[in-house]
Amino acid sequence: MTPRFTPGQLHVHSGLEDMVATARALRAVGRKIALVPTMGALHDGHRQLMRTARRLPGTVLAASIFVNPLQFGPDEDYDRYPRPLEQDLQACGEERVELVFTPSREDMYPGGPEVTVDPGPLGGELEGASRPGHFAGVLTVVSKLLNIIRPDYAVFGEKDYQQLTLVRKLVRDLNHDARIIGVPIVRDTDGLARSSRNAYLAGDQRTAAVTLSAALTAGARVSAGGAGVVLESARAVLDEEPLVEVDYLELRGADLGPAPERGEARLLVAARVGTTRLIDNAPVNLGGEGEN
């Protein structure tokens, strides 16, 4: 039996069969679905994704909440990753989400998994070089969600820019039907990119973390001078903060290939502040006018 769906109300499905049946029933009556995949611990960045999805015409707004074990390395924070489900469901209700999928690990990976998605060469660079296997885990769970829910749209934030780029490649190369929509980074008033891991920052660490966005801004402002000047300016800002341990600072093309001599590029940084690993990025127009 298909679970009852009442438009405008929040429906929570933890079971795989109920989620599949509801999504199939919505498609059968011509409703489109806009999906916001999350790992929970929802913040204003997630809310902005939901608001973007809600503005898509004629859609049911859906979200998934699942802390995906496949994208965590053995020494990462899977066990302590925040899981405030009641607060997350309250946030979903406030953002007028109509459908929330909260599967268990057993639902998503019964007996395994034995088969995962290979992210290709880009999956081993930048974040992938620092976190081996991370993007295989990300693309596997995204592929499963796209198959289970079959959304017309899936909305991702640009803060995880490499993830967004790889998800677009996934959809293209594996012939998923969903249209992938990227949403600009949501920042605190001091410039820090919103992240669930910001909750780990304490005292001086929170202040030091702002150095990442300050470095990106410094690099973008001198983009007319070319790639070398951009990287030099950003690195100088990072070097001034002893609490920031830089993992990488790179300038790439907009598709994360090699940076062009002129035109659209992306400046990306990853660093540890204490035990917390943070990432950030910003668009850069090489050879053009810098940021104000």
Side-chain angles (χ1 to χ4, degrees), residues 12 15 23 26 32 58 62 69 72 156 158 162 185 193 246-247 270 280 291:
V12 181
L26 289 169
K32 294 183 177 181
F72 289 80
F156 293 83
E158 289 187 359
Q162 188 176 7
I185 297 171
V246 178
D247 184 353
D280 203 348
E291 299 289 331

Side-chain angles (χ1 to χ4, degrees), residues 93-231:
E94 292 168 355
E95 295 302 329
R96 291 181 280 165
V97 177
E98 295 176 277
L99 194 56
V100 180
F101 183 38
T102 61
S104 68
R105 180 172 181 166
E106 291 71 28
D107 283 326
M108 294 299 283
Y109 302 120
E114 297 180 0
V115 177
T116 58
V117 176
D118 184 345
L122 180 58
E125 301 172 10
L126 299 168
E127 285 298 285
S130 300
R131 306 175 67 188
H134 171 70
F135 286 116
V138 170
L139 296 190
T140 297
V141 76
V142 170
S143 187
K144 288 177 70 70
L145 290 170
L146 295 180
N147 281 329
I148 292 165
I149 301 173
R150 299 291 177 93
D152 298 88
Y153 308 95
V155 182
F156 293 83
E158 289 187 359
K159 188 180 80 68
D160 297 298
Y161 190 80
Q162 188 176 7
Q163 171 182 282
L164 173 61
T165 301
L166 284 166
V167 167
R168 285 177 167 149
K169 291 178 182 290
L170 167 79
V171 167
R172 179 197 67 196
D173 291 352
L174 299 189
N175 302 107
H176 286 290
D177 291 332
R179 176 185 169 192
I180 304 302
I181 297 174
V183 178
I185 297 171
V186 175
R187 300 184 180 277
D188 287 336
T189 54
D190 59 5
L192 182 65
R194 294 285 174 88
S195 169
S196 300
R197 289 188 170 94
N198 290 353
Y200 301 155
L201 299 171
D204 291 344
Q205 294 176 353
R206 176 63 178 72
T207 302
V210 178
T211 305
L212 273 68
S213 60
L216 296 175
T217 299
R221 282 178 174 164
V222 296
S223 59
V229 175
V230 168
L231 288 168

